[in-house]
Amino acid sequence: MKKESELPPRSQDEVSSVQLKRDDSFARLTLLVAALCFAAAAAHFFAAWYLHAWQYWFTGGLTILAGVGYLVIRGLLPLHRLALTRVLAWLIPYLLFPPMAFFWSNATLPLIAVVFVMQLFQGIVLYGRKRLPLILALALFGVVTVLVINAFPLWPRYDATGTWLSRLVLMIVPALAGLVILMAAIRGARRFRTIRTRLVVAFVVAVLLGAGVISVGSIVVTRQNTIDQAYTQLDAVVLLKEEMLNAWAANLYLDLDTMLVEEYEIDRARMLLSGTGADALVSEMRQSLRARLRRLVDQARRFDELFLIDPAGKVALSSDQAQEGKFFTYETYFQKGLQARYISPPTYAFSTGKVAIFVVQPIFDQDGSLLGVLGGRANMGALNDMMLRGAPLGQSGEVYLVGINHALLTELRIDRYAYLQNPGIDTVLQKQNSGQGEYEGRRGDPVLGVYKWLPDLKMALLVEMERAEVFQGTQQTLWVNVILAVGAAALAVVIANFFTQDISLALTELSDVATRIAGGEQGLVAKTDRADEIGMLARAFNSMTGQLRELIGGLERRVEERTQSLEAVAEVSRATTSVLDPEKLLPQVVTLVQEHFHLYYVGLFLVNENGDQAVLRAGTGEAGRQMMEHTWQLEIGGESMIGQCVATGRPGVRQTEGDIVVRFENPFLPQTRSELALPLRYGTQIIGAMTVQSVQESAFDKTSIALLQNMADQVAVAVENARLFTTTQQALARAYEVQRRYQAQAWEDYMSTRPVTGYELRANELQPLTEELLPDVRQMLRDRRPFVESGKLIVPIVQGDRIVGVLGFEGREGQTEWGAEEIALVQALSEQLLLAAENQRLLDQTQRSAARERTIGEVTGRVRQALDMQGVLRTAADELQQVLNLERVVVRMAPQDELDT
Amino acid sequence: MKRAALSHHRARPIFDRVIFALVRSLGVFLLLSVLLVVGLSACRRAPEVEKVTLRLSGPHSVEWAGLYAAQLEGYYAAENLDVTILPAADASSSADVLAGEADFGVMSGGDLLLARARSEPLVAVFAILRRSPLAVMALAENGIVQPRDLRSKRVGIVSADMRAVKDVQFLSLMEQVSVTLAELEAAPVGEEGIAPLVEQRVDAIAYAWATRDAMAAREAGYEVTLSYFFDYGVLEYPYVIFTDASTIARRPDLPARFVRATLAGYRHVLINPDRAAELTLSYDPSLNLEAQQAMWQALIPFIDTGDAPVGTMEEGVWQSTQWVFLNHGLLEAPVALNDLYTNQFVAQSGN
């Protein structure tokens, strides 16, 4: 087994394919993400309904599409369409997040972050780190897409940070991506090698996750409550200050109302404003009224100046004498004041160099005739004090008033500005309504602000608190939570380490025992002193190893038995194939089978010539002998096991098994408890059957039946071979006898045609021999073996078992003995001589046959050359006479009936 | 090869083929979306920047800081305008506008009233100063704290015939406080600034600018007293931005965009007062930064009176100006004030 590092490097496709195929957690992850997408879509749709923002219908639709996409990925995984899966997985975040910029404003950064992180994460998971440049390029492309879409809004977009719900929905986007990555990270933790490490990591992750969820939840709730409380507080201050402003304005009117109450005062005012009366009297009246105005200014201190303006707009009287004689004919507050009570917007007063508010009202005489306008320039210091005083807004809280053109009408507690601009001021001045929001304050810090437009005063009231101060408590909660989470994680590590060490040690011991057992120490047992699951595992392990030991021992025994059986089969086969005589073979087969398989009885049946009976041809023991004497035969297809076995070609078994007792009827085999009938199959032919019987109950199982059947098949082959051998031998003997007779007849015929039948070579002279046989030759013919005597050697020429001639030799003078080699040489020579003589005979015979054929041909040719029947007959007669050297030839043509007679 | 690929394609499971088609469709959709975005962005390409010329009624000065801010801080550009701000030339700004050499001009409300009386179709759209800084100025040591104190004093006027607009306005002021010319000594000094005063050739100047003239006197070490004309019912817009009436009728978007950006420019320098002088020096580096800063601070109350949006004009002021001119023969008949000015563009600009 090669280690992973030794294996040839696999392509990235293969690696990813293996990852995707092997790990079904990827499939579960896609299902989880799909479910999250649908949940997120529900949040979008809720936001669309709750906020009346159509944009969320579309973002919800996009999220639904993403969920469907992940379901499609889940469906693709079993199809192993890896490339398609990759493309789809890459497309989904791309189709989901950037298009949201079409519908959301102020969501650029979260969308960019999510697109970039998701594309980067998915790219690495799907394509591996080797393609990091490409992945980075694709991720950046996603970012650019968000920026492009954001730069060119096609329709009004919804402020994603405008409300708590929209912020929550916006947070779902990075939360979704974060959850996916977290799941992948937890999945990656499975790469830790030891259970202990995994358990510790799992403990810590669980604790951190729990603490994190609780912390985030508490922080979110706390923050939201804090914001709500802050806005409630700011609203209360706005309400308070508005009430104070209304009271202040009411008091201003009240002061004006009390200025000219008495009739004499009105007469004086009329006299002054109309300019009637003696100069001295008017002057006195003026001084008297001016003194009164000054007293009112000094006492109430709500006005810096009080004045009377005549209908032409000329200041007839003022508590500030320098203002008398001026004309306010075209001033708005004067013109308004001629008609009704009026309080002017904050207006710059050049006489004082400060912003002032003018409060005016018309004055009438007893007849209701308009005398002029009574007015005053309000004390802005009181207004300033009103804003600065009594606002429970912590260190950073500010309450201030802003004019139409962003001019700061009251002082700030902390800084000094003439003009002020922030989103809160812009909104309230632009829309001239009330509202609240979080925006950048005067020093660039985010503030929570509540603003209200005061239509009567034509100014805006703003109350602000710095966000940092508002969330100071939340910050502390956050830090406490972080510290608690870290502490809990550390504690989790310690506790997990403590518990997992115990588990890990026990498992390690068990692992060591298993390793040693695998190494061959099969007698080892694991400790079982624990009462927990590991103790149960150890006991189960010991039980398993015990069973394994027994199993291995049993297997070894069975292998040994099987080996012996196979050896017996081989022995039987070897022995049977070496015997070709069926009369010897069959008894030998049954004996060998009985001996090698320790059987009670073995019998062998062969099908008779009629094919209707299986005749016992061999049987072991006394029982076999007796049954042979009784010519034991069984009907094929009958009720007997052998008959059924031969008829069906399938083995049959009957045996006593436990309570199931089988009765065996054969009186010669009373001790049989198990019987097996095996067909003797030779090809498709059943030539007989073999019965094997045992005194043991349930002696034959499937394995032993198969084994014995295998042996029976080989026995069948041996039997059939022996039978075929015998048949062949008999055919050969018959052919040999025919040949011998033919050759003998041929030689007799041939020799009868020869004038000389023997030759003698003496002194290099060849002489024909007479027909009379020499005595020595007669002796040799009687003995049918070489004759050696007195230097003579006579060797028969034998053809088959017949002597067709002899070779005789007589040694030179003095040679009385013939050596064995010389005899053998002569015998060999005699064989060659016979062969040459046989060839010569055959040649002569052939030549004669050829001459006859030629003659027939020639005669036939000449006969055919005749032109008429008479010619034919004549030519035939002539030729036959000539060829056959006949004296008379008769050729006659006649009808059949004549010939018959 | 292609045949093999096709046969392979045919051999795919139908689900696989549907998914493949779906993914391909999504890819095409994405591509088309990107092309659509790019196309729309191309279609939404900003039209050509419109060149606009503005003729001032005086040299470059911090008084026009809002205009400089609108141009240099990008408010005009945001309205797709590129405004050339030209200082006063020999020809009047009204002549330039009527001749089509300038799209907008700056002049005083009185001059505009007179131009309108001459049937010149000019319309004021924005008041740079909502209060006139015109005042009678005297050295503090002369004890003149209000106009009636001018009796028996030597007062510097523009011309001896008292027909100049400012002389007429001064006459009106005197009438309001019931002081006749015979009760004082009028000395024609032209428009020399504070020189006649500090050289004690006169006890008071009938027409001084509470901003630049008073500052110059104070810089010269003199304490001065000021009697504003507007405190006595003699009102006028000293600087109004105007344009041709036909421009408003033909292309109302141009004055609307111009006024909106101008208002934003003035608001910018009100909120960031230090920038006013800096921006002014971008147009005339020879100016003194500190002096311009001080002048801006003095100008702020005249630009933002607090009771109405910057640039807004009030009918009472125009009535006052017309009343003065009618009383002293500069106008023979009243002018339709509704045709003379409009606040619609300021109102459209919001706050």
Side-chain angles (χ1 to χ4, degrees), chain A residues 23 51 151 188 209 349 366 419 528 581 593 604 678 681 712 819 841 850:
Chain A
D23 198 349
L51 299 173
L209 207 57
Q366 311 290 4
Y419 285 84
T528 57
D581 185 355
V593 171
L604 199 148
L678 298 163
R681 297 177 298 204
R841 182 183 68 81

Side-chain angles (χ1 to χ4, degrees), chain A residues 180-202:
Chain A
V180 172
I181 294 168
L182 179 65
M183 292 294 294
I186 292 172
R187 178 172 155 260
R190 293 196 303 178
R191 293 177 188 153
F192 292 120
R193 289 184 176 177
T194 63
I195 292 176
R196 184 179 177 188
T197 313
R198 288 185 197 174
L199 284 173
V200 170
V201 170

Side-chain angles (χ1 to χ4, degrees), chain B residues 157-169:
Chain B
I157 57 172
V158 178
S159 60
D161 61 0
M162 297 294 284
R163 296 303 299 168
V165 171
K166 291 185 174 60
D167 287 337
V168 167
Q169 288 172 330

Side-chain angles (χ1 to χ4, degrees), chain B residues 54-106:
Chain B
L54 169 67
R55 174 68 73 181
L56 301 175
S57 60
H60 283 303
S61 158
V62 78
E63 291 168 322
W64 327 114
L67 301 171
Y68 303 145
Q71 174 64 16
L72 298 177
E73 299 290 348
Y75 297 109
Y76 284 138
E79 298 289 348
N80 214 30
L81 297 173
D82 180 14
V83 178
T84 302
I85 302 171
L86 299 173
D90 293 338
S92 70
S93 56
S94 60
D96 281 349
V97 171
L98 289 171
E101 294 180 3
D103 301 284
F104 296 93
V106 177

Side-chain angles (χ1 to χ4, degrees), chain A residues 72 76 79 81 84 88 94 102 148 154 325-327 330-331 346-348 350 404-406 419 421 429-430, chain B residues 12 16 19-20 23 30 37 40 131 176 230-232 270-271 301-302 304-310 316 320 351:
Chain A
V72 170
L76 279 176
L79 301 176
R81 307 300 303 173
L84 199 59
L88 200 56
Y94 200 80
F102 279 122
V148 168
L154 300 177
K326 290 184 177 179
F327 281 84
Y330 300 105
E331 296 294 344
T347 307
Y348 188 80
F350 287 88
I404 291 172
N405 294 310
H406 293 249
Y419 285 84
Q421 185 178 31
L429 293 183
Q430 184 74 31
Chain B
R12 287 176 181 164
D16 199 359
I19 295 305
F20 193 84
V23 171
L30 181 67
V37 169
L40 287 173
R131 286 283 184 192
Q176 288 287 80
F230 62 77
D231 272 344
Y232 296 92
L270 284 173
I271 293 166
F302 297 96
D304 174 22
T305 56
D307 54 342
V310 171
S320 170
N351 287 318

